[in-house]
Amino acid sequence: IQLTQSPSSLSASVGDRVIITCRASQGIGSYLAWYQQKPGKAPRLLIYAASTLQGGVPSRFSGSGSGTDFTLTISSLQPEDSATYFCLQLNSFPFTFGQGTRLEIK
Amino acid sequence: EVQVVESGGGLVQPGGSLRLSCTTSGFTFSSSSMTWVRQAPGQGLEWVANIHPVGSEEVVYVDSVRGRFTISRDNAKSSIYLQMERLRAEDTAVYYCARPGQCSGDRCYWDYWGQGTLVTVSS
């Protein structure tokens, strides 16, 4: 199953609403997670089961979607949100990641 | 507190071998699946292998490593391993160990990751 994220990169200002999409090549139900990764660090789980917020993650992050189309939304961008974001499908082996979306703060 | 710590990375020549270790604590290891994920320099993430809990010990690999890599576990040491053989330049990556501990329905998502260990395959 291929996951295609868009955009590949974006630049936004503090306070902006940011939306990242992830499209699966076939239906994956809600077996999707979103991760944030900062340089030199391990990925951090943000959202699992497509829309459930991981404990300790700020509420400005939210996820939605099912089947083949998913979104990660940051409602009000903060400076610490500068990172690369990946989606991951756990519907079937081989588990696959999207190619990543690099988010830069203007 | 859950802890996941990888070790064993280093520089190896093409065709060589290396064994990575992942030592954990803070959760019931014997009932948990475990996962290896890798990330080539400047690239995205790639799932490598899974091992299920004792009792099934089913193992699954990505096609690019099947037949060359072997994932195993030692429940007495709360550890998993990745034995890598016939290494290629394209295996160069940071290798992460992850615990699928955040469960929803019949899926568990990887919530704790180690800091990673770098494997460099080069002559």
Side-chain angles (χ1 to χ4, degrees), chain A residues 30-33 35 37 40-45 48-50 52 54-55 86 88 90-99 102, chain B residues 35 37 39 42-47 50 52 58 60-63 96 102-104 106-116:
Chain A
S30 295
Y31 297 131
L32 187 106
Y35 287 86
Q37 188 180 33
K41 300 294 187 179
R44 174 195 182 195
L45 179 63
Y48 63 95
T52 303
Q54 171 70 345
F86 295 93
L88 163 70
L90 294 184
N91 179 74
S92 59
F93 290 114
F95 298 149
T96 48
F97 291 89
Q99 82 279 12
R102 183 170 294 182
Chain B
T35 291
V37 173
Q39 186 169 37
Q43 302 300 309
L45 297 159
E46 180 182 41
W47 167 78
N50 255 42
H52 287 211
E58 179 184 343
V60 192
Y61 302 94
V62 69
D63 282 350
Y96 294 101
Q102 186 57 266
C103 299
S104 175
D106 61 352
R107 291 295 189 274
C108 293
Y109 298 83
W110 310 326
D111 57 348
Y112 281 93
W113 298 57
Q115 81 289 350

Side-chain angles (χ1 to χ4, degrees), chain B:
Chain B
E1 180 191 3
V2 173
Q3 292 194 325
V4 177
V5 180
E6 304 94 339
S7 60
L11 175 63
V12 60
Q13 292 189 341
S17 302
L18 206 58
R19 187 194 195 212
L20 305 184
S21 300
C22 170
T23 301
T24 73
S25 61
F27 65 100
T28 307
F29 178 82
S30 61
S31 61
S32 180
S33 297
M34 293 294 294
T35 291
W36 286 101
V37 173
R38 67 183 179 182
Q39 186 169 37
Q43 302 300 309
L45 297 159
E46 180 182 41
W47 167 78
V48 174
N50 255 42
I51 185 165
H52 287 211
V54 66
S56 61
E57 296 210 3
E58 179 184 343
V59 297
V60 192
Y61 302 94
V62 69
D63 282 350
S64 58
V65 310
R66 188 177 298 115
R68 299 188 299 123
F69 290 11
T70 302
I71 187 172
S72 61
R73 65 190 296 152
D74 183 339
N75 289 331
K77 296 182 178 180
S78 297
S79 296
I80 65 166
Y81 307 95
L82 190 67
Q83 179 68 42
M84 303 185 293
E85 309 282 352
R86 303 196 303 280
L87 283 160
R88 307 167 179 166
E90 54 264 36
D91 295 318
T92 294
V94 173
Y95 284 73
Y96 294 101
C97 173
R99 179 199 82 151
Q102 186 57 266
C103 299
S104 175
D106 61 352
R107 291 295 189 274
C108 293
Y109 298 83
W110 310 326
D111 57 348
Y112 281 93
W113 298 57
Q115 81 289 350
T117 187
L118 177 62
V119 172
T120 303
V121 184
S122 174
S123 55

Side-chain angles (χ1 to χ4, degrees), chain A residues 21-37:
Chain A
T21 67
C22 179
R23 174 163 289 177
S25 59
Q26 63 188 75
I28 59 170
S30 295
Y31 297 131
L32 187 106
W34 288 97
Y35 287 86
Q36 176 193 68
Q37 188 180 33

